[in-house]
PDB file of all heavy atoms in Angstrom:
ATOM      1  N   GLY A 257     -13.431  -3.379  32.925  1.00  0.00           N
ATOM      2  CA  GLY A 257     -13.181  -4.608  33.659  1.00  0.00           C
ATOM      3  C   GLY A 257     -11.790  -4.636  34.255  1.00  0.00           C
ATOM      4  O   GLY A 257     -11.388  -3.734  35.013  1.00  0.00           O
ATOM      5  N   ASN A 258     -11.037  -5.659  33.890  1.00  0.00           N
ATOM      6  CA  ASN A 258      -9.686  -5.814  34.440  1.00  0.00           C
ATOM      7  C   ASN A 258      -8.604  -5.307  33.484  1.00  0.00           C
ATOM      8  O   ASN A 258      -7.443  -5.660  33.626  1.00  0.00           O
ATOM      9  CB  ASN A 258      -9.424  -7.284  34.792  1.00  0.00           C
ATOM     10  CG  ASN A 258      -9.445  -8.172  33.566  1.00  0.00           C
ATOM     11  OD1 ASN A 258     -10.080  -7.846  32.569  1.00  0.00           O
ATOM     12  ND2 ASN A 258      -8.737  -9.289  33.629  1.00  0.00           N
ATOM     13  N   ARG A 259      -8.994  -4.477  32.509  1.00  0.00           N
ATOM     14  CA  ARG A 259      -8.029  -3.936  31.561  1.00  0.00           C
ATOM     15  C   ARG A 259      -8.126  -2.419  31.485  1.00  0.00           C
ATOM     16  O   ARG A 259      -9.230  -1.862  31.461  1.00  0.00           O
ATOM     17  CB  ARG A 259      -8.228  -4.548  30.174  1.00  0.00           C
ATOM     18  CG  ARG A 259      -7.739  -5.982  30.084  1.00  0.00           C
ATOM     19  CD  ARG A 259      -7.813  -6.511  28.665  1.00  0.00           C
ATOM     20  NE  ARG A 259      -9.185  -6.899  28.303  1.00  0.00           N
ATOM     21  CZ  ARG A 259      -9.512  -7.418  27.132  1.00  0.00           C
ATOM     22  NH1 ARG A 259      -8.578  -7.588  26.207  1.00  0.00           N
ATOM     23  NH2 ARG A 259     -10.747  -7.765  26.872  1.00  0.00           N
ATOM     24  N   ILE A 260      -6.977  -1.809  31.423  1.00  0.00           N
ATOM     25  CA  ILE A 260      -6.918  -0.342  31.353  1.00  0.00           C
ATOM     26  C   ILE A 260      -5.988   0.045  30.223  1.00  0.00           C
ATOM     27  O   ILE A 260      -4.895  -0.526  30.074  1.00  0.00           O
ATOM     28  CB  ILE A 260      -6.406   0.257  32.683  1.00  0.00           C
ATOM     29  CG1 ILE A 260      -7.458   0.058  33.785  1.00  0.00           C
ATOM     30  CG2 ILE A 260      -6.083   1.737  32.524  1.00  0.00           C
ATOM     31  CD1 ILE A 260      -7.032   0.578  35.125  1.00  0.00           C
ATOM     32  N   ARG A 261      -6.417   1.001  29.415  1.00  0.00           N
ATOM     33  CA  ARG A 261      -5.591   1.533  28.345  1.00  0.00           C
ATOM     34  C   ARG A 261      -5.180   2.953  28.684  1.00  0.00           C
ATOM     35  O   ARG A 261      -5.981   3.749  29.178  1.00  0.00           O
ATOM     36  CB  ARG A 261      -6.343   1.494  27.006  1.00  0.00           C
ATOM     37  CG  ARG A 261      -6.474   0.082  26.449  1.00  0.00           C
ATOM     38  CD  ARG A 261      -7.112   0.075  25.074  1.00  0.00           C
ATOM     39  NE  ARG A 261      -7.101  -1.267  24.500  1.00  0.00           N
ATOM     40  CZ  ARG A 261      -7.556  -1.572  23.305  1.00  0.00           C
ATOM     41  NH1 ARG A 261      -8.067  -0.620  22.531  1.00  0.00           N
ATOM     42  NH2 ARG A 261      -7.499  -2.814  22.859  1.00  0.00           N
ATOM     43  N   TYR A 262      -3.913   3.256  28.373  1.00  0.00           N
ATOM     44  CA  TYR A 262      -3.385   4.579  28.695  1.00  0.00           C
ATOM     45  C   TYR A 262      -2.361   4.974  27.639  1.00  0.00           C
ATOM     46  O   TYR A 262      -1.855   4.146  26.887  1.00  0.00           O
ATOM     47  CB  TYR A 262      -2.760   4.583  30.088  1.00  0.00           C
ATOM     48  CG  TYR A 262      -1.602   3.637  30.244  1.00  0.00           C
ATOM     49  CD1 TYR A 262      -0.287   4.038  29.985  1.00  0.00           C
ATOM     50  CD2 TYR A 262      -1.806   2.312  30.654  1.00  0.00           C
ATOM     51  CE1 TYR A 262       0.781   3.173  30.125  1.00  0.00           C
ATOM     52  CE2 TYR A 262      -0.737   1.429  30.789  1.00  0.00           C
ATOM     53  CZ  TYR A 262       0.553   1.868  30.526  1.00  0.00           C
ATOM     54  OH  TYR A 262       1.610   0.998  30.655  1.00  0.00           O
ATOM     55  N   ARG A 263      -2.037   6.264  27.621  1.00  0.00           N
ATOM     56  CA  ARG A 263      -1.061   6.782  26.677  1.00  0.00           C
ATOM     57  C   ARG A 263       0.153   7.316  27.431  1.00  0.00           C
ATOM     58  O   ARG A 263       0.031   7.892  28.504  1.00  0.00           O
ATOM     59  CB  ARG A 263      -1.662   7.910  25.826  1.00  0.00           C
ATOM     60  CG  ARG A 263      -2.773   7.456  24.905  1.00  0.00           C
ATOM     61  CD  ARG A 263      -3.202   8.561  23.955  1.00  0.00           C
ATOM     62  NE  ARG A 263      -4.357   8.155  23.175  1.00  0.00           N
ATOM     63  CZ  ARG A 263      -4.285   7.435  22.053  1.00  0.00           C
ATOM     64  NH1 ARG A 263      -3.100   7.056  21.590  1.00  0.00           N
ATOM     65  NH2 ARG A 263      -5.382   7.105  21.399  1.00  0.00           N
ATOM     66  N   THR A 264       1.313   7.102  26.824  1.00  0.00           N
ATOM     67  CA  THR A 264       2.536   7.681  27.367  1.00  0.00           C
ATOM     68  C   THR A 264       3.559   7.793  26.250  1.00  0.00           C
ATOM     69  O   THR A 264       3.670   6.901  25.399  1.00  0.00           O
ATOM     70  CB  THR A 264       3.113   6.840  28.515  1.00  0.00           C
ATOM     71  OG1 THR A 264       4.381   7.405  28.901  1.00  0.00           O
ATOM     72  CG2 THR A 264       3.312   5.394  28.116  1.00  0.00           C
ATOM     73  N   ALA A 265       4.290   8.897  26.238  1.00  0.00           N
ATOM     74  CA  ALA A 265       5.346   9.093  25.257  1.00  0.00           C
ATOM     75  C   ALA A 265       6.671   8.538  25.761  1.00  0.00           C
ATOM     76  O   ALA A 265       7.638   8.467  25.003  1.00  0.00           O
ATOM     77  CB  ALA A 265       5.486  10.578  24.937  1.00  0.00           C
ATOM     78  N   GLU A 266       6.710   8.131  27.043  1.00  0.00           N
ATOM     79  CA  GLU A 266       7.949   7.643  27.634  1.00  0.00           C
ATOM     80  C   GLU A 266       7.718   6.305  28.326  1.00  0.00           C
ATOM     81  O   GLU A 266       7.864   6.187  29.547  1.00  0.00           O
ATOM     82  CB  GLU A 266       8.500   8.655  28.631  1.00  0.00           C
ATOM     83  CG  GLU A 266       8.831  10.008  28.001  1.00  0.00           C
ATOM     84  CD  GLU A 266       9.392  10.973  29.026  1.00  0.00           C
ATOM     85  OE1 GLU A 266       8.824  11.041  30.141  1.00  0.00           O
ATOM     86  OE2 GLU A 266      10.403  11.617  28.741  1.00  0.00           O
ATOM     87  N   PRO A 267       7.334   5.268  27.576  1.00  0.00           N
ATOM     88  CA  PRO A 267       7.035   3.980  28.207  1.00  0.00           C
ATOM     89  C   PRO A 267       8.245   3.369  28.918  1.00  0.00           C
ATOM     90  O   PRO A 267       8.090   2.674  29.923  1.00  0.00           O
ATOM     91  CB  PRO A 267       6.594   3.106  27.032  1.00  0.00           C
ATOM     92  CG  PRO A 267       7.185   3.753  25.821  1.00  0.00           C
ATOM     93  CD  PRO A 267       7.195   5.203  26.109  1.00  0.00           C
ATOM     94  N   GLN A 268       9.456   3.643  28.403  1.00  0.00           N
ATOM     95  CA  GLN A 268      10.646   3.066  29.010  1.00  0.00           C
ATOM     96  C   GLN A 268      10.870   3.585  30.429  1.00  0.00           C
ATOM     97  O   GLN A 268      11.518   2.912  31.246  1.00  0.00           O
ATOM     98  CB  GLN A 268      11.886   3.334  28.145  1.00  0.00           C
ATOM     99  CG  GLN A 268      12.313   4.786  28.064  1.00  0.00           C
ATOM    100  CD  GLN A 268      11.587   5.574  26.990  1.00  0.00           C
ATOM    101  OE1 GLN A 268      10.494   5.195  26.569  1.00  0.00           O
ATOM    102  NE2 GLN A 268      12.191   6.659  26.547  1.00  0.00           N
ATOM    103  N   HIS A 269      10.329   4.764  30.738  1.00  0.00           N
ATOM    104  CA  HIS A 269      10.466   5.336  32.076  1.00  0.00           C
ATOM    105  C   HIS A 269       9.217   5.092  32.932  1.00  0.00           C
ATOM    106  O   HIS A 269       9.333   4.723  34.110  1.00  0.00           O
ATOM    107  CB  HIS A 269      10.734   6.843  31.974  1.00  0.00           C
ATOM    108  CG  HIS A 269      11.976   7.182  31.224  1.00  0.00           C
ATOM    109  ND1 HIS A 269      13.221   6.662  31.528  1.00  0.00           N
ATOM    110  CD2 HIS A 269      12.174   7.989  30.155  1.00  0.00           C
ATOM    111  CE1 HIS A 269      14.126   7.122  30.695  1.00  0.00           C
ATOM    112  NE2 HIS A 269      13.517   7.933  29.843  1.00  0.00           N
ATOM    113  N   LEU A 270       8.036   5.315  32.326  1.00  0.00           N
ATOM    114  CA  LEU A 270       6.816   5.292  33.121  1.00  0.00           C
ATOM    115  C   LEU A 270       6.259   3.894  33.355  1.00  0.00           C
ATOM    116  O   LEU A 270       5.642   3.638  34.390  1.00  0.00           O
ATOM    117  CB  LEU A 270       5.751   6.176  32.473  1.00  0.00           C
ATOM    118  CG  LEU A 270       6.075   7.676  32.480  1.00  0.00           C
ATOM    119  CD1 LEU A 270       4.973   8.473  31.802  1.00  0.00           C
ATOM    120  CD2 LEU A 270       6.257   8.169  33.921  1.00  0.00           C
ATOM    121  N   ASN A 271       6.453   2.965  32.413  1.00  0.00           N
ATOM    122  CA  ASN A 271       5.917   1.616  32.620  1.00  0.00           C
ATOM    123  C   ASN A 271       6.527   0.913  33.836  1.00  0.00           C
ATOM    124  O   ASN A 271       5.799   0.300  34.618  1.00  0.00           O
ATOM    125  CB  ASN A 271       6.095   0.770  31.354  1.00  0.00           C
ATOM    126  CG  ASN A 271       5.058   1.087  30.292  1.00  0.00           C
ATOM    127  OD1 ASN A 271       4.092   1.800  30.551  1.00  0.00           O
ATOM    128  ND2 ASN A 271       5.259   0.579  29.089  1.00  0.00           N
ATOM    129  N   PRO A 272       7.851   0.986  34.039  1.00  0.00           N
ATOM    130  CA  PRO A 272       8.399   0.381  35.257  1.00  0.00           C
ATOM    131  C   PRO A 272       7.859   1.019  36.533  1.00  0.00           C
ATOM    132  O   PRO A 272       7.605   0.323  37.522  1.00  0.00           O
ATOM    133  CB  PRO A 272       9.911   0.615  35.120  1.00  0.00           C
ATOM    134  CG  PRO A 272      10.144   0.722  33.653  1.00  0.00           C
ATOM    135  CD  PRO A 272       8.927   1.425  33.127  1.00  0.00           C
ATOM    136  N   VAL A 273       7.678   2.353  36.506  1.00  0.00           N
ATOM    137  CA  VAL A 273       7.111   3.033  37.671  1.00  0.00           C
ATOM    138  C   VAL A 273       5.691   2.547  37.946  1.00  0.00           C
ATOM    139  O   VAL A 273       5.305   2.298  39.094  1.00  0.00           O
ATOM    140  CB  VAL A 273       7.122   4.566  37.455  1.00  0.00           C
ATOM    141  CG1 VAL A 273       6.393   5.284  38.589  1.00  0.00           C
ATOM    142  CG2 VAL A 273       8.553   5.070  37.334  1.00  0.00           C
TER     143      VAL A 273
END
Side-chain angles (χ1 to χ4, degrees):
N258 64 335
R259 286 186 281 182
I260 291 178
R261 287 185 174 182
Y262 61 90
R263 294 188 186 276
T264 174
E266 299 181 316
Q268 68 275 22
H269 300 306
L270 293 179
N271 282 350
V273 174

